[in-house]
Amino acid sequence: MSKNYRAELVGVFGDPVEGNPTGVVEEAGFAAKGLNYRYLTIKVTPEDFEDAMKSLKALHMKGINLTMPHKIAVLPYLDEISEAARIIGAVNTVNVEDGKLFGDNTDGRGFVQALKNEGITPAGKTVTILGAGGAAKAIAVECALAGASRIIIVNRSEEHARELVKSVKENTNAEADFILWEAGQKIPQETQILINGTPVGLHPCTDQKPDIDYDTINRNMIVSDVVFNPADTLFLQEARARGAKTISGLGMLACQGALNFTIWTGQEAPYDVMFEALKKEFEE
């Protein structure tokens, strides 16, 4: 009987990339499904990015994730992109199929799925997002596409906030506006879902939290954080102390990984296995 010693290759390009845990999630999924896939965590500098993208076809890779600083730089190298990626203006997942590169953005979809896993939907709700960077933009767009009635962007840069509001209004049915982020910013009381879309609180800066008035968070709000390390950020602890239901960034990352898994393999992802692997990595 002939044996196949060649593994299917996927991975991530980024710089820096040393702290990216996506490989833990994907490898757990591959093992659970008995798939001969390998996830490579690869440092790629901006000056080497073109060569790295050419390598996808040369090495017959199945796909790649993109993290900073490549999510926008990748766009000229793609043959097609998803509608969500077009609206967001960034790609975090590439699938190689029949020699063509297809780009998608699973950041926001992963967040929405993590909400659904907790029995929550953005549909019909007012969603307030702290920040207007890459993660915040993806979440804003996907929440709007999932039926949120209103998106409120709280950001220190008016220009970036206006750009995001414009994108949501022009491409979805949701209302959108922004609040210029000031010290001790109050959270609008109509907020039903509050999201920290900034990296504030990410390891090693675990003693930090977004500069807001936490007493304006109430028990009727769902509060979530994109930060996954630590899983229980100060932001979430403060919200929980005010009676709010909290959702950590682990769910978003695991759901994003599950979406990537299915894009690359064509199989349903073993989400529970992938989530537990990620939880073990950061909650021990």
Side-chain angles (χ1 to χ4, degrees):
M1 179 185 295
S2 63
K3 294 184 178 181
N4 177 16
Y5 295 98
R6 186 185 73 83
E8 299 288 3
L9 301 179
V10 293
V12 59
F13 291 160
D15 182 26
V17 78
E18 290 78 9
N20 191 301
T22 311
V24 172
V25 181
E26 300 297 350
E27 290 281 357
F30 299 150
K33 286 284 192 173
L35 298 176
N36 189 18
Y37 275 63
R38 297 293 180 272
Y39 191 95
L40 309 177
T41 301
I42 306 171
K43 179 178 180 178
V44 175
T45 62
E47 55 266 31
D48 292 329
F49 185 64
E50 181 175 358
D51 289 337
M53 288 304 298
K54 289 179 180 178
S55 76
L56 294 181
K57 294 180 183 179
L59 298 176
H60 297 277
M61 294 182 70
K62 297 292 286 186
I64 200 76
N65 282 144
L66 288 312
T67 188
M68 295 301 291
H70 306 311
K71 290 186 178 184
I72 297 174
V74 71
L75 294 174
Y77 300 97
L78 304 177
D79 296 293
E80 294 182 29
I81 62 172
S82 68
E83 180 67 4
R86 181 192 66 78
I87 298 171
I88 296 165
V91 162
N92 78 325
T93 303
V94 174
N95 186 42
V96 184
E97 188 174 333
D98 297 328
K100 291 188 176 182
L101 304 183
F102 298 88
D104 202 349
N105 194 310
T106 59
D107 285 335
R109 283 216 313 283
F111 176 83
V112 170
Q113 184 59 52
L115 289 183
K116 290 180 178 178
N117 288 349
E118 297 289 334
I120 300 161
T121 174
K125 293 184 173 62
T126 295
V127 179
T128 296
I129 303 173
L130 306 178
K137 187 171 186 179
I139 289 170
V141 169
E142 291 291 355
C143 283
L145 290 173
S149 60
R150 184 183 179 200
I151 305 291
I152 302 173
I153 304 299
V154 180
N155 198 53
R156 300 189 191 281
S157 165
E158 181 175 340
E159 179 184 1
H160 290 157
R162 283 189 181 279
E163 288 175 358
L164 179 48
V165 165
K166 182 173 183 287
S167 181
V168 170
K169 284 183 174 180
E170 290 181 349
N171 293 282
T172 77
N173 294 322
E175 296 180 10
D177 54 347
F178 77 92
I179 297 172
L180 200 59
W181 193 341
E182 299 179 348
Q185 180 64 54
K186 296 182 183 299
I187 302 303
Q189 287 304 288
E190 62 268 33
T191 299
Q192 293 165 285
I193 301 175
L194 171 65
I195 305 151
N196 174 32
T198 78
V200 176
L202 181 65
H203 179 82
C205 302
T206 57
D207 60 341
Q208 297 180 7
K209 59 187 178 182
D211 184 8
I212 63 173
D213 181 352
Y214 286 89
D215 287 333
T216 56
I217 294 177
N218 63 60
R219 62 186 301 109
N220 297 318
M221 295 180 186
I222 307 297
V223 179
S224 185
D225 203 331
V226 299
V227 172
F228 56 82
N229 182 18
D232 194 24
T233 59
L234 285 179
F235 173 72
L236 294 180
Q237 292 175 36
E238 293 280 9
R240 197 161 53 248
R242 273 88 178 164
K245 175 180 174 59
T246 60
I247 302 174
S248 80
L250 291 179
M252 173 182 171
L253 188 59
C255 286
Q256 175 188 321
L259 289 167
N260 297 337
F261 182 100
T262 299
I263 288 171
W264 292 327
T265 69
Q267 296 192 26
E268 183 178 353
Y271 173 79
D272 290 343
V273 170
M274 297 169 80
F275 179 81
E276 287 303 318
L278 187 62
K279 183 178 178 182
K280 181 180 179 181
E281 190 76 9
F282 291 108
E283 290 193 341
E284 285 187 338

